[in-house]
Every structure is written in structure tokens, then in C-alpha cells.
Amino acid sequence: MHPAHVIYALDLFGVGVFAVSGALAAGRKRMDIFGVVVLGLVTALGGGTLRDVLLDSGPVFWIENPVYLLVAAGFSLLTFFAVRIITAHRKGLFISDAFGLAIFTALGTSTALITTESNSVAMVMGVMTGTAGGMMRDVLCAEVPLVLRREIYATAALCGAFVYVLLNGLGVQATPCIIFSTIITLTIRLAAIHWGFALPIFQAADMDNSD
Amino acid sequence: MHPAHVIYALDLFGVGVFAVSGALAAGRKRMDIFGVVVLGLVTALGGGTLRDVLLDSGPVFWIENPVYLLVAAGFSLLTFFAVRIITAHRKGLFISDAFGLAIFTALGTSTALITTESNSVAMVMGVMTGTAGGMMRDVLCAEVPLVLRREIYATAALCGAFVYVLLNGLGVQATPCIIFSTIITLTIRLAAIHWGFALPIFQAADMDNSD
Amino acid sequence: MHPAHVIYALDLFGVGVFAVSGALAAGRKRMDIFGVVVLGLVTALGGGTLRDVLLDSGPVFWIENPVYLLVAAGFSLLTFFAVRIITAHRKGLFISDAFGLAIFTALGTSTALITTESNSVAMVMGVMTGTAGGMMRDVLCAEVPLVLRREIYATAALCGAFVYVLLNGLGVQATPCIIFSTIITLTIRLAAIHWGFALPIFQAADMDNSD
């Protein structure tokens, strides 16, 4: 298989997994079928959409290629009906979600480096592509985004994005950069799920400013 | 009257109605006059703004034509003062809101078909134009968007957008497409208000994944 | 010092102050270090990002010039560690925040007038540049934005933006417009902090519409 096909397949896999994650979140809030599809679409397509809008590189990716839209909508609908029959395994979902995070972060970093030469901007765009969809999902559920409060999630993405810009700076081609970056994010995230790592929490003696 | 003038008048009517809806939501949260105007602007202009940003077709519509901005701000201010004198009728508001939804969906689908040839993308953009303003309003009120939880609201918009792309595919001109699409959305939405239809809710035996 | 350097320095000062405000808000929600940096970035860069996206004038400012990104990330991290040692003074923060609001509003209005000739659009863009970052911060904290509920905050920005378009309409150059606009916003905001002004709240006899 050609590397570009592998990456495209992984990208669609990430879209499907994130759509399931969004649809399940909608279910926890007792949304109707429309709400489930909207949450699925937002979670799956939100990060990449924000990336394309900020980079200002023409219409967003799912307008250019509606296959992404159809995959996200299809998996959301499937989830809506499947949960009546099968029970979702928490750990299975976390592992699938880790694949989505890893590939989205690598591809987001890759896309950003077409427009910008700044490594810090590319890393921010990569992490954002991987995490913003889940943040939008949580905002629509009127909750503080989980990503901001918990575990080595975004940090795994940050490490993956860092490896990408490091290899890219050494003159490595895009495909191996994407593969290594994905492996790094995935390994750290899976290790965090397995051993339950967490980052230090903000600690202040006595704070109550309010603006 | 020229069809373009009818459509422009309907569009401004939709903006005014949605501004009232946003201003009233702000009132329920006891916001100040600035909050009322912001909620009115976001509700009235949010959907079309998101559409223009995603299609990447130059500055958004209310920057091109500030009349939209002035109408939205005017109706928000009017609502702020009017509620001290007159009591809003729930049903009257729902019916006005249905007009806004119907015309915004038809015009959103129409605008999207200038940029994209994909019917599924155009339908998503149409529904988004009709519903995203209300979703942003609810997010700013720190609530789960009503559209995601309740009734035949977005589904009415989806049917209207579907009729638009169907007629468009058959070679029908833009103006009759807009008129038929608007009538379909409006009829379904008004019927739903009158008889209290609702969509099936997401149902899962025992779910508590959390990512 | 050249006026452009003064403005650039003030702009970076505003970014730093807003990053501190976002990082402290994240602390109140007990976010981890990643959440603190995200809230800092969103608060500091959110308003200008929204302005650039809506005006559709190429990649957003912090992609063009990553110094903004680094300053915002640096101040967020600094806040994360500093709060363990020093207690933030509420009033000191409010006053710093007022400087950020004033300079962001003036620069937002100035940037908008490059694209649009409409004074009302430019004023909206100015107020949005000054306040949207704080609104995004509050939405990510799952709270109704403070700006919409409280005090002469956005109103100070509106007065500053009004003074800008007034002077601009009289043919005054950009630099004095920015300086006067900043002083007006700052004065009104500091007076409001000192004497505790507030705007009238939305008042309705008996409202409970829900759409």
C-alpha cells in the first residue's frame, strides 16, 4: 500500500472513532438523534475545521472532501442504534480514541507546516487538531472540557507534535515524520491509560479574583 | 416585487426574529444591556457567520453589508426595553422563530451550493446556518443547546435543505428552490409546534464512558 | 521610541495580562498545567483570532508572528508556578486587565478599518477583540461570560471604539486615534472599578419562553 493511502485510511479511522466518542457523549446528555449526529460531527471534524479556518487555506477539509462528513455522520448514526444492542467497553473506547488523537495530531502538525515555518505554531496547531473537537463536544454538553482537567491526554499530543517538528527540522520527509509522531503520541497515551498517570493540578493558597 | 427583494426582506425578518430570541434568552440569565445585545447579535448572525467562515468566501455577510448588524442590534435593544411594557407570547415567538429557521436554512443551502457541488455538504451548511446561532446563544448561557435535545426543530431544517438540493439537482432555479425549501421547513416546524412531535431520545442500558 | 514600537509593546503587555487572567480562571477550576496554558492562550489570543477570521485577512496574527504565542504561553506557565509563592491581588489584576481591554479594543478597531468602511462594523470588531477572549475563557469554564452580566466592562470598550471611529472620521491619523481610544476605555474602566458602576439589568415581569 502507498503511504498516502495508509494515512488517508488512518485519518478516516480517527474521524470514525471521534464520531463514536461524540455520539456517546450526546447519549449521556439524553439528546435526540439530531443531537447525537451533531455531537458526532463536531467531535470528529471540529479540530481539523478550526485548524483550516485559522490557517485560512481555503474551504475546510470536509467541504473539499465530503467523505469525511459522511464517515462522521455514518458512525454517529451507527452509535445511536448500536448502543441499544451492545454495551460500549470503556477501555476499548479509550484505546480507539488514542489512535484518533495520535493521527490527528501528526496530520495537523503536518498541515500547519505547509503554511507556517514556526515550529511553535505548528505544534500548537497539531495539538489543537487532536484535541479541539473533544473540547467543542464538552462545551456543547455544558461541561468543562475533560482534556483541560485530566490525565496525560493533550501532553501525549504535545510530545507527538514535538517529535514531528524535531524530525522535520532534521530534514526527514513528511511520511516518516507522521508515522513516528503517531507512534509517540499513541505510546504515551496508551501508557497513561494503562498506568493512570496524571499531571500536577493548579494549586493556589487562596485565590478568588473574578475577572 | 422582485424575488431578490422578497428574499432580502425575509432574511432581515429572520435576523430580527432571532435577535429577539437571543435577547430574551439573555434576559432569563439576568444579563445587562450589553449582554442582551451580544446574545441578540450572536443568535441572529452566528449561523451565517459560521457558514461564511467555513466556506472561506471573503469577509462575513454582516461585514459586507452592515444593515444586518444594525437590524440585529436594533431588535435586541427594542426587546430590552419592550419586555418592561409588553409580555412576550410564547407561541408567537415560536412561530416567528420558525420563519427565521426556514429562511436561514434555505439561504444557507443556496449560498453553500455556490462554493461546493456536494449535496451533503450543502445540506449540512443549510441546517447549520439555521441552527448554529441558537446553539451559540445557549452555549453563552452555559446550557446544553435546546436544538440538540428537543422536538422537530433541526429535523424540519434538514427536510427543507433536502428539498432544496433535490430541486436544485432537477435543474430548478435558485428562487423557486428557496421558496419551496422555506415552505417545507416552515410547515414541518409549525406542525411540530402545534402537535408537539418529538424525536426518539438516545437510549443506552448502562453507559458511563468518560472520554 | 517610535509610536509603532510603543503600540507593539502595549499589545504584548495586553497579551501577557490576559494570559494571566485565563491561567487564574483555569486555576479556580482546578485544571492541570495543560488546561492552564490552554485557558491562558485562549484568553490572550481569542479576541484577535476571531477578528482575523471574520475579516478573512490571511492567517491569524499569532501564526504570522509567533511572538504573541510565546508571550501568552510563557505568562500562563509563569502564573501556574507563581501562584504557589505569591498571592494575586484582585485589584492589581483588574487594573492590568483594564490596560489589556483598552489596547486590544483600539487595535481591533484599527485593524477592522483596514478592511471595512463601516463604522458600526469597526466598533463591533473593536469591542469583540477586547472582550471575546474573556468570553471564550468563561465558556471553557462552563460559565456564563462575566462580561455579559457585570459592570461597565464592554461598555468602556464600546466608548473607546466610538472615540476611535469619531477621530478617524475627522481625518486623524491611526496612532493618535489608538492613543486617545485607549485612554478613554482605560479611564472609564478604571473609574468603574474604583466606584463600582453597573449597567441596568434586563427586567421582565413574567418571562419563560424557551426557544
Side-chain angles (χ1 to χ4, degrees):
Chain A
M1 252 173 116
H2 192 275
H5 295 152
V6 177
I7 288 164
Y8 185 49
L10 278 171
D11 198 8
L12 289 177
F13 175 76
V15 166
V17 165
F18 273 23
V20 171
S21 150
L24 289 171
R28 287 204 303 279
K29 290 280 170 177
R30 299 193 60 71
M31 292 182 185
D32 64 22
I33 192 169
F34 175 77
V36 168
V37 172
V38 168
L39 264 274
L41 292 179
V42 164
T43 311
L45 310 176
T49 300
L50 188 56
R51 176 200 62 209
D52 291 350
V53 165
L54 297 187
L55 291 173
D56 197 29
S57 50
V60 298
F61 68 105
W62 53 269
I63 294 179
E64 289 285 313
N65 180 4
V67 170
Y68 290 103
L69 184 64
L70 299 174
V71 168
F75 274 83
S76 303
L77 283 172
L78 212 66
T79 306
F80 182 79
F81 294 109
V83 285
R84 285 147 207 257
I85 306 163
I86 40 170
T87 307
H89 285 283
R90 230 181 123 114
K91 203 151 195 179
L93 271 167
F94 276 18
I95 292 168
S96 309
D97 182 88
F99 275 89
L101 176 71
I103 189 76
F104 277 19
T105 301
L107 293 178
T109 312
S110 184
T111 304
L113 284 168
I114 298 169
T115 303
T116 181
E117 289 193 357
S118 160
N119 285 331
S120 53
V121 169
M123 283 167 64
V124 166
M125 298 304 275
V127 174
M128 204 183 67
T129 308
T131 60
M135 287 172 63
M136 293 178 196
R137 172 198 64 202
D138 296 345
V139 164
L140 286 177
C141 290
E143 290 178 355
V144 176
L146 267 169
V147 171
L148 302 178
R149 286 186 302 182
R150 241 195 20 158
E151 302 172 46
I152 309 287
Y153 188 90
T155 310
L158 192 62
C159 295
F162 177 73
V163 166
Y164 193 110
V165 299
L166 194 75
L167 293 176
N168 179 68
L170 296 170
V172 179
Q173 292 288 306
T175 305
C177 283
I178 290 171
I179 292 166
F180 275 102
S181 165
T182 303
I183 290 170
I184 293 293
T185 306
L186 197 56
T187 307
I188 297 173
R189 178 68 192 135
L190 292 179
I193 291 172
H194 192 71
W195 287 293
F197 295 144
L199 285 177
I201 297 288
F202 192 109
Q203 202 178 47
D206 183 38
M207 272 295 308
D208 86 320
N209 86 305
S210 40
D211 213 322
Chain B
M1 251 176 118
H2 192 276
H5 295 153
V6 177
I7 289 165
Y8 185 48
L10 278 171
D11 199 8
L12 289 177
F13 176 75
V15 165
V17 165
F18 274 23
V20 171
S21 149
L24 289 172
R28 287 203 304 279
K29 290 279 168 178
R30 299 192 59 72
M31 293 182 184
D32 63 22
I33 192 169
F34 175 77
V36 168
V37 173
V38 168
L39 264 273
L41 291 179
V42 164
T43 310
L45 310 176
T49 300
L50 188 57
R51 175 200 63 208
D52 290 351
V53 165
L54 296 187
L55 291 173
D56 197 28
S57 49
V60 298
F61 69 102
W62 53 269
I63 294 179
E64 289 285 313
N65 179 4
V67 170
Y68 290 104
L69 185 64
L70 299 174
V71 168
F75 274 82
S76 304
L77 283 173
L78 213 65
T79 306
F80 182 79
F81 294 109
V83 286
R84 285 146 207 257
I85 306 163
I86 40 169
T87 306
H89 284 283
R90 228 182 125 113
K91 204 153 194 176
L93 271 167
F94 276 17
I95 291 169
S96 309
D97 182 88
F99 275 89
L101 176 71
I103 191 75
F104 277 19
T105 301
L107 293 177
T109 312
S110 183
T111 305
L113 284 169
I114 298 168
T115 303
T116 181
E117 290 193 356
S118 161
N119 285 332
S120 52
V121 169
M123 283 167 65
V124 166
M125 299 304 273
V127 174
M128 205 182 67
T129 308
T131 61
M135 288 172 62
M136 292 177 196
R137 173 198 62 202
D138 295 345
V139 164
L140 286 177
C141 289
E143 290 178 354
V144 176
L146 267 169
V147 172
L148 303 177
R149 288 187 301 184
R150 241 196 23 160
E151 303 174 45
I152 309 288
Y153 188 89
T155 310
L158 193 60
C159 295
F162 178 72
V163 166
Y164 192 111
V165 299
L166 193 76
L167 294 176
N168 180 68
L170 296 170
V172 179
Q173 293 287 307
T175 305
C177 283
I178 290 171
I179 292 165
F180 275 102
S181 166
T182 303
I183 290 170
I184 293 292
T185 305
L186 197 56
T187 307
I188 296 175
R189 180 66 192 137
L190 292 180
I193 292 171
H194 192 71
W195 287 294
F197 295 145
L199 284 177
I201 296 288
F202 193 108
Q203 200 177 50
D206 184 37
M207 273 295 309
D208 87 319
N209 86 306
S210 40
D211 213 325
Chain C
M1 252 175 114
H2 192 274
H5 295 153
V6 178
I7 288 165
Y8 184 49
L10 278 172
D11 199 8
L12 289 178
F13 175 75
V15 166
V17 165
F18 273 23
V20 171
S21 149
L24 288 172
R28 286 202 305 276
K29 290 278 169 178
R30 298 194 59 72
M31 293 182 184
D32 64 22
I33 192 170
F34 175 77
V36 168
V37 173
V38 168
L39 265 273
L41 291 179
V42 164
T43 310
L45 310 176
T49 300
L50 188 56
R51 174 200 63 207
D52 291 351
V53 165
L54 296 187
L55 291 174
D56 197 30
S57 50
V60 298
F61 70 103
W62 53 269
I63 294 179
E64 290 285 313
N65 179 5
V67 170
Y68 291 104
L69 185 63
L70 298 174
V71 167
F75 275 83
S76 305
L77 284 173
L78 212 66
T79 306
F80 182 79
F81 295 110
V83 285
R84 286 147 207 258
I85 307 163
I86 40 169
T87 307
H89 285 283
R90 227 182 126 114
K91 202 151 193 178
L93 271 166
F94 277 17
I95 291 167
S96 310
D97 182 88
F99 275 89
L101 175 71
I103 189 77
F104 278 18
T105 301
L107 292 177
T109 311
S110 184
T111 305
L113 284 169
I114 298 168
T115 304
T116 181
E117 291 192 357
S118 160
N119 285 332
S120 54
V121 169
M123 283 167 64
V124 167
M125 298 303 276
V127 175
M128 204 183 66
T129 307
T131 62
M135 288 171 63
M136 293 178 196
R137 173 198 64 203
D138 295 345
V139 164
L140 287 176
C141 289
E143 289 179 354
V144 176
L146 268 169
V147 172
L148 303 177
R149 285 187 302 183
R150 240 198 20 163
E151 302 174 45
I152 308 286
Y153 188 89
T155 310
L158 192 62
C159 295
F162 178 73
V163 165
Y164 194 110
V165 299
L166 194 76
L167 293 175
N168 180 67
L170 295 171
V172 178
Q173 293 287 308
T175 304
C177 283
I178 290 172
I179 292 165
F180 276 102
S181 164
T182 302
I183 291 171
I184 292 292
T185 306
L186 197 55
T187 308
I188 297 174
R189 178 68 192 134
L190 291 180
I193 291 171
H194 192 71
W195 287 293
F197 295 146
L199 284 178
I201 296 289
F202 192 110
Q203 201 178 49
D206 183 37
M207 272 294 309
D208 87 319
N209 86 305
S210 39
D211 213 321

